[in-house]
Amino acid sequence: MKNEESSGGVTAPAGFTAGGFRCGFKSSRAANDTALIVSRVPCTAAAVFTENLVKAEPVKLSAQHVAGGKAQAVIANAGNANACTGAQGRKNALRMARAVAGALSVPEEEVLVCSTGVIGQQFPETALETLEKNAAGFCAALSREGHTAAREAILTTDTVYKESEIRFELDGRTVTIGAMAKGSGMIHINMGTMLAFVTTDCAISAEMLDCALRESAACTYNCVSVDGDTSTNDTLLILANGLAGNTPVTEKNAAYGKFLQALTELNTVMARKIAADGEGATRLVECLVTGAASGEAARTLAKSVVSSNLVKAAFYGRDANWGRILCALGYSGVPFSPESVRVSFRSAAGEIAVCENGMPLPFDEQKASSVLDRPEVLVLVDLGGGNGTGRAWGCDLTCEYVRINGDYRS
Amino acid sequence: MKNEESSGGVTAPAGFTAGGFRCGFKSSRAANDTALIVSRVPCTAAAVFTENLVKAEPVKLSAQHVAGGKAQAVIANAGNANACTGAQGRKNALRMARAVAGALSVPEEEVLVCSTGVIGQQFPETALETLEKNAAGFCAALSREGHTAAREAILTTDTVYKESEIRFELDGRTVTIGAMAKGSGMIHINMGTMLAFVTTDCAISAEMLDCALRESAACTYNCVSVDGDTSTNDTLLILANGLAGNTPVTEKNAAYGKFLQALTELNTVMARKIAADGEGATRLVECLVTGAASGEAARTLAKSVVSSNLVKAAFYGRDANWGRILCALGYSGVPFSPESVRVSFRSAAGEIAVCENGMPLPFDEQKASSVLDRPEVLVLVDLGGGNGTGRAWGCDLTCEYVRINGDYRS
């Protein structure tokens, strides 16, 4: 597991503890497969779930639980998505919530449940029994340091853990927001098999928390694509326990603006981490569209570029095939003037312009290859129109992606 | 080039000749790169073009030319798409039309032009000069047998040529429709870098020809996906010269119905050929959705399944991962009841049911793998709802696709 600089993730805000455990949801590995995040006091809570019509059982359950705007604990398992599992799956998701609620003596409605892994298989009964038998022990073992075990217990085909935190001042108090996430394949616009857990000690109403989460997700998590598949299990949730001691944020005032800005900054970092660790990926591809009619139009165009299989394959080959970028812009559904488009590539190795006024610019192929041969590449698209700006993140398409997904279940 | 049973393709209908030649549009190969199809008498004509906002210059030109409903010749080149090439590209497309028009003594508006290949590069001037110098000779060399050279001259990354024909009776006359196509990558719903040329000796008005072409394309060419990229150059065109001698079809009567049925049958054969020869593909994946609210809903659902990278990668791995199929159905945007879905796989090796009522069925993984390990696999999805039925065609996602597209230009 590659190391990333972080000093707390979901336990960075005051009052949160976490841990990672093994119950047996993953069959083939000895690794931990169950994460817990708990606040020592009740929290306001909000969540964004998959837009897929086929929703996993834990998604349906957590959507009901979070509707009350309160939560105190989250349990997540990896290895089995508990999706397409019907009444038994529903019962099993509820068993997970109850096991934690019982151990913590909190109402089961204040426990949120997330699952990720294979679709269409029931949980092993032994895994649920292990959880039920050990829930009290797991909860007793939670700690500030436990974020390191938790961030790994939620992973599937991920090659690195994803964790970050951000701090800002509100009313002279330091407010912290922390996050951990998993997500590698089945990731597309409007989230993929992405589980993202955000914690904060900010005092903020459930309503404002929900607003901030949705507003922030629109230009961060919802702008990531690995493979174009929107999963059955996507969940982004946030718990706010108020322990920072700021004046509670209950309306869209300046404090809300600061919270939203920090949350968006944190979510951007996390979205980039997820894209960079796309299944089989060798590079992070960021597309920045400027000169669009609106921010939303710019984001739609940027998403179309990072979602294109042909663009993704070209990045794998370090091939400055900008024609595929114009092609992807063209089928995005957003109107623009192809004759005004400018495209360039930028990375740590420099910047190279390849298209102006929608037509080829002469460029040094070797220099272009060296610009593209970096772990992070930025595609700059200027439409020469309005003031709308938007970003999206993706990765290259590699043989390794095909290998991983050609036989994921075995 | 693999052989397929065919006895004439675009020259099967009376009065059509064809040929394949080398002008130098393809730089790296000695292969032919220019195809001509000519009718000895003027034809009614219709075409369907890419929905991409970024349209290649030959697409714009041919759209103008075909607007008159008449054409007598088609010229197509491979190796360079003449897309994103601006005013010079426009002039070059016109030079192609003029060279043929001059050689045949037909109005330039009755010559249709198609290009396929790399986007964003101007034609080599030498290729255009070669065409202009030799156009008369090329036209003199056209023949009924020339369909074999023409069907190969339009190919890019295709591994097989695609050609077929169909015959039916109208007013006691035999009417023939013939077709050839190319298309391997950048192929998605609403056509990809797909060029498809249909000829017929049916006597039919331009208006009815246009209706039949659009109606037929909706459930054939527009239901093929290789990689989700809708190209800048897609063109499906049809020329009808009336030499079969039937009573001209000028309204939606029984004769129109027979023509539409034959055209749809032919286009289905061609669509399957294109999907089966998807870049890097090892198998054709057909999805048949039944029990939907309407035919359109069924087609949208079927398209979502064959377009999913994860479904495609699973087919590459002969992995009966039906959860990904439910996932793809779920994000299609079409409402249905997940609890009523039944999924099975069928091939020459047998049929195996894997999901019923949206939940797992116990099945023999080894048998499932053997069913999937065939060149053609059918995914049967029954939604248990209405009477709507629809099909879509795709292929598996392989390392070879990534390799081909990682460095297409070099």
Side-chain angles (χ1 to χ4, degrees):
Chain A
M1 200 59 47
K2 276 186 259 171
N3 206 359
E4 313 254 324
E5 79 295 341
S6 170
S7 56
V10 288
T11 60
F16 286 94
T17 55
F21 310 95
R22 173 155 181 86
C23 290
F25 293 105
K26 277 185 184 170
S27 54
S28 56
R29 298 202 224 165
N32 286 343
D33 53 22
T34 309
L36 276 167
I37 307 170
V38 174
S39 168
R40 71 172 158 84
V41 297
C43 304
T44 54
V48 179
F49 297 102
T50 181
E51 293 180 5
N52 197 311
L53 181 74
V54 178
K55 292 185 205 314
E57 295 305 327
V59 166
K60 296 186 214 166
L61 182 71
S62 292
Q64 284 189 341
H65 285 189
V66 85
K70 289 193 294 185
Q72 194 164 347
V74 181
I75 179 165
N77 77 280
N80 185 318
N82 194 12
C84 303
T85 47
Q88 193 187 332
R90 165 82 186 182
K91 206 158 62 184
N92 288 344
L94 199 56
R95 279 173 72 180
M96 290 174 70
R98 282 188 181 152
V100 176
L104 295 171
S105 299
V106 302
E108 69 186 38
E109 293 74 22
E110 296 189 17
V111 179
L112 306 181
V113 181
C114 296
S115 298
T116 178
V118 179
I119 302 172
Q121 291 181 1
Q122 297 292 354
F123 281 142
E125 176 63 22
T126 51
L128 289 165
E129 286 170 0
T130 302
L131 172 64
E132 285 164 340
K133 208 160 56 192
N134 296 290
F138 291 167
C139 289
L142 298 175
S143 67
R144 297 303 289 263
E145 294 68 37
H147 72 97
T148 59
R151 72 194 178 192
E152 304 226 349
I154 55 173
L155 306 182
T156 55
T157 53
D158 305 66
T159 64
V160 293
Y161 65 80
K162 290 109 189 155
E163 178 178 85
S164 193
E165 62 276 321
I166 190 167
R167 289 182 176 79
F168 64 103
E169 298 286 312
L170 221 51
D171 311 326
R173 309 293 182 114
T174 297
V175 173
T176 305
I177 316 178
M180 71 178 193
K182 69 80 52 182
S184 198
M186 211 182 260
I187 287 185
H188 189 50
I189 306 320
N190 301 321
M191 305 201 294
T193 304
M194 191 189 290
L195 302 181
F197 307 90
V198 187
T199 55
T200 180
D201 45 24
C202 188
I204 180 168
S205 71
E207 193 193 347
M208 287 302 102
L209 197 62
D210 189 65
C211 283
L213 191 68
R214 284 173 200 284
E215 200 167 337
S216 161
C219 60
T220 58
Y221 286 103
N222 284 351
C223 292
V224 175
S225 179
V226 166
D227 53 17
D229 279 272
T230 302
S231 102
T232 49
N233 288 59
D234 314 329
T235 302
L236 163 63
L237 57 84
I238 185 164
L239 270 59
N241 65 14
L243 293 179
N246 59 294
T247 309
V249 179
T250 57
E251 56 178 328
K252 291 195 174 176
N253 55 15
Y256 173 83
K258 284 180 86 169
F259 180 78
L260 175 61
Q261 191 187 339
L263 181 61
T264 301
E265 202 173 310
L266 179 68
N267 285 351
T268 302
V269 169
M270 296 299 288
R272 288 174 59 98
K273 284 180 194 276
I274 288 167
D277 192 30
E279 282 175 343
T282 66
R283 51 181 46 77
L284 169 69
V285 178
E286 176 171 332
C287 180
L288 169 62
V289 172
T290 56
S294 69
E296 196 185 338
R299 284 200 296 274
T300 302
L301 287 157
K303 289 177 194 181
S304 188
V305 170
V306 300
S307 300
S308 156
N309 272 357
L310 285 167
V311 169
K312 290 155 64 72
F315 276 105
Y316 174 59
R318 297 113 178 94
D319 179 8
N321 199 326
W322 61 268
R324 293 179 180 171
I325 291 169
L326 259 74
C327 179
L329 295 167
Y331 63 68
S332 68
V334 174
F336 65 95
S337 163
E339 297 72 29
S340 310
V341 178
R342 186 180 192 280
V343 179
S344 61
F345 300 110
R346 187 194 291 165
S347 76
E351 180 169 342
I352 189 161
V354 290
C355 162
E356 198 152 57
N357 301 322
M359 291 196 293
L361 279 177
F363 65 91
D364 179 343
E365 290 276 356
Q366 206 148 15
K367 189 189 167 194
S369 272
S370 81
V371 169
L372 299 183
D373 196 15
R374 294 288 169 142
E376 294 191 9
V377 179
L378 179 62
V379 183
L380 297 155
V381 176
D382 187 349
L383 301 178
N387 294 317
T389 294
R391 282 172 203 272
W393 299 272
C395 58
D396 55 348
L397 175 64
T398 69
C399 286
E400 189 60 13
Y401 175 85
V402 177
R403 200 196 55 72
I404 291 168
N405 286 297
D407 202 9
Y408 176 59
R409 296 184 313 153
S410 47
Chain B
M1 200 58 49
K2 275 186 261 172
N3 206 1
E4 313 254 326
E5 78 298 340
S6 171
S7 57
V10 288
T11 59
F16 285 95
T17 55
F21 310 95
R22 173 155 183 86
C23 289
F25 293 105
K26 278 186 183 169
S27 55
S28 57
R29 299 203 224 164
N32 285 343
D33 52 21
T34 309
L36 275 168
I37 307 170
V38 174
S39 167
R40 72 173 157 84
V41 296
C43 303
T44 54
V48 179
F49 298 102
T50 181
E51 292 180 5
N52 198 309
L53 181 73
V54 179
K55 292 184 205 316
E57 295 304 329
V59 166
K60 297 185 211 166
L61 182 71
S62 292
Q64 285 189 340
H65 285 189
V66 86
K70 288 193 295 185
Q72 195 164 348
V74 180
I75 179 166
N77 78 279
N80 186 317
N82 194 13
C84 303
T85 47
Q88 191 187 333
R90 165 85 186 179
K91 207 157 61 186
N92 288 344
L94 198 56
R95 279 173 72 181
M96 290 174 70
R98 282 188 180 150
V100 176
L104 294 172
S105 299
V106 302
E108 69 186 38
E109 293 75 21
E110 296 190 17
V111 179
L112 306 181
V113 181
C114 297
S115 298
T116 178
V118 179
I119 302 172
Q121 292 182 0
Q122 297 291 353
F123 281 141
E125 176 62 22
T126 52
L128 290 165
E129 286 170 359
T130 301
L131 172 64
E132 287 164 339
K133 209 161 55 190
N134 297 290
F138 291 168
C139 289
L142 299 175
S143 66
R144 299 299 291 263
E145 293 69 37
H147 72 97
T148 59
R151 71 192 179 193
E152 304 226 351
I154 56 174
L155 306 183
T156 54
T157 54
D158 306 65
T159 65
V160 291
Y161 64 80
K162 291 109 189 154
E163 179 177 83
S164 193
E165 60 276 321
I166 191 168
R167 290 182 175 82
F168 63 103
E169 298 287 312
L170 220 51
D171 312 326
R173 309 294 181 116
T174 297
V175 173
T176 304
I177 315 178
M180 70 178 194
K182 69 80 52 182
S184 199
M186 210 181 260
I187 285 186
H188 190 49
I189 306 318
N190 300 322
M191 305 202 291
T193 305
M194 190 191 289
L195 301 182
F197 306 91
V198 186
T199 54
T200 181
D201 45 24
C202 188
I204 180 168
S205 71
E207 194 194 345
M208 288 300 102
L209 197 62
D210 190 64
C211 283
L213 191 68
R214 283 174 201 284
E215 200 168 334
S216 160
C219 59
T220 58
Y221 286 104
N222 284 353
C223 292
V224 175
S225 179
V226 167
D227 53 17
D229 278 273
T230 301
S231 102
T232 50
N233 288 60
D234 314 329
T235 303
L236 162 63
L237 57 83
I238 185 166
L239 270 60
N241 66 13
L243 293 179
N246 58 295
T247 310
V249 179
T250 56
E251 56 177 329
K252 291 196 173 174
N253 54 15
Y256 174 84
K258 283 180 87 170
F259 180 78
L260 175 61
Q261 192 188 340
L263 181 62
T264 302
E265 200 173 312
L266 178 68
N267 285 353
T268 302
V269 169
M270 296 299 288
R272 288 175 57 98
K273 283 178 193 278
I274 288 167
D277 193 31
E279 282 175 344
T282 67
R283 52 180 45 77
L284 169 69
V285 178
E286 177 171 332
C287 181
L288 169 62
V289 173
T290 56
S294 69
E296 197 184 337
R299 284 199 296 273
T300 302
L301 288 157
K303 289 176 193 181
S304 189
V305 170
V306 300
S307 300
S308 157
N309 272 357
L310 284 167
V311 170
K312 289 155 65 72
F315 276 105
Y316 174 58
R318 296 116 178 95
D319 180 6
N321 199 326
W322 61 268
R324 293 178 179 171
I325 291 169
L326 259 74
C327 179
L329 294 169
Y331 62 68
S332 68
V334 174
F336 65 94
S337 163
E339 296 72 28
S340 310
V341 178
R342 186 178 192 281
V343 179
S344 61
F345 299 110
R346 187 194 291 165
S347 76
E351 180 167 344
I352 189 161
V354 290
C355 163
E356 197 151 56
N357 300 323
M359 290 196 296
L361 279 178
F363 65 89
D364 178 345
E365 291 276 358
Q366 207 148 12
K367 186 186 170 195
S369 273
S370 81
V371 168
L372 299 182
D373 196 16
R374 295 289 167 140
E376 295 191 9
V377 178
L378 180 62
V379 182
L380 296 156
V381 175
D382 187 351
L383 302 177
N387 293 317
T389 294
R391 282 172 202 273
W393 298 272
C395 58
D396 54 348
L397 176 64
T398 69
C399 286
E400 189 60 13
Y401 175 86
V402 176
R403 200 195 55 71
I404 292 168
N405 286 297
D407 202 9
Y408 176 59
R409 296 184 313 153
S410 48

